[in-house]
mmCIF file of all heavy atoms in Angstrom:
data_model
loop_
_atom_site.group_PDB
_atom_site.id
_atom_site.type_symbol
_atom_site.label_atom_id
_atom_site.label_comp_id
_atom_site.label_asym_id
_atom_site.label_seq_id
_atom_site.Cartn_x
_atom_site.Cartn_y
_atom_site.Cartn_z
ATOM 1 N N GLU A 430 14.710 -9.299 16.895
ATOM 2 C CA GLU A 430 15.149 -10.229 17.813
ATOM 3 C C GLU A 430 15.706 -11.488 17.201
ATOM 4 O O GLU A 430 16.697 -12.030 17.566
ATOM 5 C CB GLU A 430 14.254 -10.457 19.033
ATOM 6 C CG GLU A 430 14.125 -9.193 19.920
ATOM 7 C CD GLU A 430 13.034 -9.418 20.980
ATOM 8 O OE1 GLU A 430 12.250 -10.432 20.932
ATOM 9 O OE2 GLU A 430 12.942 -8.513 21.815
ATOM 10 N N GLY A 431 14.772 -12.111 16.281
ATOM 11 C CA GLY A 431 15.223 -13.269 15.694
ATOM 12 C C GLY A 431 16.442 -13.088 14.814
ATOM 13 O O GLY A 431 17.365 -14.032 14.685
ATOM 14 N N LEU A 432 16.560 -11.979 14.064
ATOM 15 C CA LEU A 432 17.641 -11.669 13.203
ATOM 16 C C LEU A 432 18.915 -11.607 14.120
ATOM 17 O O LEU A 432 20.080 -12.210 13.759
ATOM 18 C CB LEU A 432 17.491 -10.490 12.540
ATOM 19 C CG LEU A 432 16.507 -10.447 11.368
ATOM 20 C CD1 LEU A 432 16.560 -8.937 10.714
ATOM 21 C CD2 LEU A 432 16.924 -11.399 10.219
ATOM 22 N N GLN A 433 18.782 -11.011 15.290
ATOM 23 C CA GLN A 433 20.066 -10.808 16.156
ATOM 24 C C GLN A 433 20.405 -12.223 16.637
ATOM 25 O O GLN A 433 21.653 -12.574 16.757
ATOM 26 C CB GLN A 433 19.701 -9.894 17.307
ATOM 27 C CG GLN A 433 19.520 -8.404 16.873
ATOM 28 C CD GLN A 433 20.981 -7.807 16.628
ATOM 29 O OE1 GLN A 433 21.958 -8.484 16.581
ATOM 30 N NE2 GLN A 433 20.890 -6.475 16.602
ATOM 31 N N ALA A 434 19.537 -13.083 17.035
ATOM 32 C CA ALA A 434 19.771 -14.419 17.628
ATOM 33 C C ALA A 434 20.549 -15.166 16.550
ATOM 34 O O ALA A 434 21.389 -15.905 16.686
ATOM 35 C CB ALA A 434 18.484 -15.161 18.096
ATOM 36 N N SER A 435 19.979 -15.097 15.214
ATOM 37 C CA SER A 435 20.643 -15.763 14.135
ATOM 38 C C SER A 435 21.995 -15.340 13.778
ATOM 39 O O SER A 435 22.946 -16.178 13.643
ATOM 40 C CB SER A 435 19.643 -15.638 12.895
ATOM 41 O OG SER A 435 20.334 -16.333 11.720
ATOM 42 N N ARG A 436 22.249 -14.121 13.868
ATOM 43 C CA ARG A 436 23.650 -13.506 13.682
ATOM 44 C C ARG A 436 24.532 -13.928 14.767
ATOM 45 O O ARG A 436 25.610 -14.282 14.570
ATOM 46 C CB ARG A 436 23.496 -11.953 13.437
ATOM 47 C CG ARG A 436 24.778 -11.254 13.211
ATOM 48 C CD ARG A 436 25.276 -11.705 11.866
ATOM 49 N NE ARG A 436 24.361 -11.468 10.723
ATOM 50 C CZ ARG A 436 24.354 -10.386 9.870
ATOM 51 N NH1 ARG A 436 25.425 -9.667 10.026
ATOM 52 N NH2 ARG A 436 23.576 -10.368 8.897
ATOM 53 N N GLN A 437 24.109 -13.910 16.025
ATOM 54 C CA GLN A 437 24.879 -14.301 17.193
ATOM 55 C C GLN A 437 25.327 -15.833 16.933
ATOM 56 O O GLN A 437 26.521 -16.198 17.206
ATOM 57 C CB GLN A 437 24.190 -14.228 18.506
ATOM 58 C CG GLN A 437 24.996 -14.549 19.777
ATOM 59 C CD GLN A 437 24.315 -14.303 20.912
ATOM 60 O OE1 GLN A 437 23.041 -14.202 21.048
ATOM 61 N NE2 GLN A 437 25.055 -14.007 21.981
ATOM 62 N N THR A 438 24.386 -16.666 16.617
ATOM 63 C CA THR A 438 24.688 -18.092 16.362
ATOM 64 C C THR A 438 25.568 -18.352 15.276
ATOM 65 O O THR A 438 26.624 -19.108 15.469
ATOM 66 C CB THR A 438 23.407 -18.851 16.061
ATOM 67 O OG1 THR A 438 22.530 -18.748 17.099
ATOM 68 C CG2 THR A 438 23.741 -20.269 15.856
ATOM 69 N N ARG A 439 25.479 -17.500 14.170
ATOM 70 C CA ARG A 439 26.371 -17.646 12.946
ATOM 71 C C ARG A 439 27.706 -17.032 13.064
ATOM 72 O O ARG A 439 28.675 -17.566 12.693
ATOM 73 C CB ARG A 439 25.663 -17.075 11.755
ATOM 74 C CG ARG A 439 26.344 -17.123 10.470
ATOM 75 C CD ARG A 439 25.653 -16.329 9.343
ATOM 76 N NE ARG A 439 26.354 -16.465 8.064
ATOM 77 C CZ ARG A 439 26.205 -15.466 7.192
ATOM 78 N NH1 ARG A 439 25.599 -14.501 7.304
ATOM 79 N NH2 ARG A 439 26.685 -15.761 6.083
ATOM 80 N N CYS A 440 27.732 -15.982 13.881
ATOM 81 C CA CYS A 440 29.045 -15.230 13.868
ATOM 82 C C CYS A 440 29.699 -14.933 15.221
ATOM 83 O O CYS A 440 30.877 -14.375 15.340
ATOM 84 C CB CYS A 440 28.759 -13.698 13.187
ATOM 85 S SG CYS A 440 28.102 -13.889 11.549
ATOM 86 N N GLY A 441 28.956 -15.307 16.204
ATOM 87 C CA GLY A 441 29.473 -15.126 17.558
ATOM 88 C C GLY A 441 29.420 -13.690 18.229
ATOM 89 O O GLY A 441 29.949 -13.484 19.202
ATOM 90 N N ALA A 442 28.790 -12.842 17.436
ATOM 91 C CA ALA A 442 28.745 -11.456 17.823
ATOM 92 C C ALA A 442 27.413 -11.277 18.837
ATOM 93 O O ALA A 442 26.432 -11.788 18.782
ATOM 94 C CB ALA A 442 28.562 -10.448 16.627
ATOM 95 N N ALA A 443 27.706 -10.461 19.934
ATOM 96 C CA ALA A 443 26.643 -10.156 20.853
ATOM 97 C C ALA A 443 25.591 -9.265 20.238
ATOM 98 O O ALA A 443 25.793 -8.440 19.409
ATOM 99 C CB ALA A 443 27.236 -9.494 22.094
ATOM 100 N N PRO A 444 24.351 -9.611 20.494
ATOM 101 C CA PRO A 444 23.237 -8.838 19.944
ATOM 102 C C PRO A 444 23.358 -7.326 20.195
ATOM 103 O O PRO A 444 23.686 -6.919 21.318
ATOM 104 C CB PRO A 444 22.025 -9.453 20.558
ATOM 105 C CG PRO A 444 22.341 -10.722 21.060
ATOM 106 C CD PRO A 444 23.832 -10.635 21.515
ATOM 107 N N LEU A 465 23.162 -5.149 12.815
ATOM 108 C CA LEU A 465 23.760 -6.603 12.754
ATOM 109 C C LEU A 465 25.048 -6.506 12.491
ATOM 110 O O LEU A 465 25.556 -5.892 11.503
ATOM 111 C CB LEU A 465 22.957 -7.287 11.700
ATOM 112 C CG LEU A 465 21.391 -7.688 11.860
ATOM 113 C CD1 LEU A 465 20.871 -8.318 10.639
ATOM 114 C CD2 LEU A 465 21.022 -8.214 13.121
ATOM 115 N N ILE A 466 25.998 -7.198 13.312
ATOM 116 C CA ILE A 466 27.336 -7.210 12.987
ATOM 117 C C ILE A 466 27.835 -8.723 12.905
ATOM 118 O O ILE A 466 27.578 -9.579 13.770
ATOM 119 C CB ILE A 466 28.204 -6.646 14.260
ATOM 120 C CG1 ILE A 466 27.753 -5.123 14.368
ATOM 121 C CG2 ILE A 466 29.608 -6.855 14.024
ATOM 122 C CD1 ILE A 466 28.519 -4.394 15.370
ATOM 123 N N CYS A 467 28.683 -9.015 11.852
ATOM 124 C CA CYS A 467 29.285 -10.298 11.755
ATOM 125 C C CYS A 467 30.682 -9.980 11.531
ATOM 126 O O CYS A 467 31.172 -9.581 10.502
ATOM 127 C CB CYS A 467 28.705 -11.035 10.606
ATOM 128 S SG CYS A 467 29.378 -12.778 10.459
ATOM 129 N N PRO A 468 31.641 -10.132 12.557
ATOM 130 C CA PRO A 468 33.046 -9.725 12.409
ATOM 131 C C PRO A 468 33.681 -10.533 11.230
ATOM 132 O O PRO A 468 34.653 -10.006 10.658
ATOM 133 C CB PRO A 468 33.601 -10.111 13.776
ATOM 134 C CG PRO A 468 32.487 -9.987 14.783
ATOM 135 C CD PRO A 468 31.236 -10.512 13.851
ATOM 136 N N GLN A 469 33.326 -11.773 11.038
ATOM 137 C CA GLN A 469 33.901 -12.520 10.109
ATOM 138 C C GLN A 469 32.858 -13.581 9.503
ATOM 139 O O GLN A 469 32.532 -14.420 10.357
ATOM 140 C CB GLN A 469 35.199 -13.233 10.384
ATOM 141 C CG GLN A 469 35.856 -13.937 9.132
ATOM 142 C CD GLN A 469 37.287 -14.466 9.441
ATOM 143 O OE1 GLN A 469 37.696 -14.300 10.537
ATOM 144 N NE2 GLN A 469 37.861 -15.157 8.559
ATOM 145 N N VAL A 470 32.410 -13.459 8.360
ATOM 146 C CA VAL A 470 31.390 -14.400 7.893
ATOM 147 C C VAL A 470 32.085 -15.710 7.811
ATOM 148 O O VAL A 470 33.214 -15.863 7.115
ATOM 149 C CB VAL A 470 30.861 -13.916 6.534
ATOM 150 C CG1 VAL A 470 29.873 -15.040 5.874
ATOM 151 C CG2 VAL A 470 30.126 -12.711 6.636
ATOM 152 N N PRO A 471 31.465 -16.771 8.323
ATOM 153 C CA PRO A 471 32.143 -18.165 8.225
ATOM 154 C C PRO A 471 32.629 -18.558 6.841
ATOM 155 O O PRO A 471 31.869 -18.372 5.912
ATOM 156 C CB PRO A 471 31.153 -19.048 8.811
ATOM 157 C CG PRO A 471 30.497 -18.192 9.684
ATOM 158 C CD PRO A 471 30.282 -16.903 9.130
#
Side-chain angles (χ1 to χ4, degrees):
E430 289 175 349
L432 290 180
Q433 288 287 9
S435 176
R436 186 62 58 101
Q437 183 178 21
T438 300
R439 182 187 182 205
C440 304
L465 300 177
I466 297 181
C467 186
Q469 183 171 1
V470 177

